């Protein structure tokens, strides 16, 4: 079955919305505290063994998409936890799966006494830029959802709403 130009434009629009959300998300990611990746890894592995990308996706899911740590922050954390004797890893189906050692379970249990980083990471002040970034990310995600599952009428309504919001946002900085 061949794709039509309309299919390409829809795919392009969805990608643009996801890119738009990603631009806002970068402002939020910079606001996570040092040690949040470590805490998140220990908490998730306390539930079940996982490989690195499962951890990344689980953090993203639990944060509502607001926090997706990079492989460059997760994998070194995993290696550090292995070096500390808190994790062990084994190769399963071409993937390195990590699980807690008995010492790691004790550390994870202590970690679980405080709120998870995905629960508190976005309540603390991120400043006006971070707050705006979160709102923009929510808008991009909502627009992408309408584009994926909405009727033509719903998409038209959403388009008008976003266009109106864009005009009002531009007016804030141009008529200041």
């Amino acid at each position: 079955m061949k794709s039509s130009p309309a299919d390409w434009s829809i795919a392009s629009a969805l990608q643009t919305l996801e890119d738009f959300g990603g631009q806002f998300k970068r402002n939020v990611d910079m606001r996570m505290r040092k040690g949040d990746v470590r805490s998140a890894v220990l908490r998730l592995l306390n539930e079940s063994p996982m490989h690195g990308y499962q951890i990344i996706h689980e953090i993203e899911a639990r944060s509502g998409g607001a926090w997706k740590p990079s492989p460059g922050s997760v994998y070194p954390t995993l290696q550090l936890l292995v070096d500390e004797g808190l994790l062990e890893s084994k190769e399963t189906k071409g993937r390195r799966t990590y699980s807690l050692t008995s010492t790691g379970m004790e550390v994870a249990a202590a970690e679980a006494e405080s709120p998870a980083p995905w629960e508190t990471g976005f309540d603390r002040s991120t400043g006006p830029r971070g707050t705006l970034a979160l709102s923009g990310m929510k808008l991009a995600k909502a627009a992408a959802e309408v584009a994926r599952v909405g009727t033509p009428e719903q998409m038209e309504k959403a388009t008008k709403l976003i266009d109106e919001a864009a005009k009002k946002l531009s007016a804030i900085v141009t008529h200041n």
Side-chain angles (χ1 to χ4, degrees), residues 7-21:
D7 292 334
W8 297 329
S9 63
I10 290 169
S12 176
L14 288 174
Q15 184 60 50
T16 300
L17 284 170
E18 288 175 16
D19 292 346
F20 180 65

Side-chain angles (χ1 to χ4, degrees), residues 21 33 40 47 75 78-79 84 98 104 112 125 127 151 159 167 170-171:
R33 290 184 303 230
E47 296 174 13
Y75 284 100
L78 288 167
Q79 186 57 54
E84 291 176 8
Y98 296 87
S125 174
T151 65
T159 300
K167 285 178 191 173
S170 292

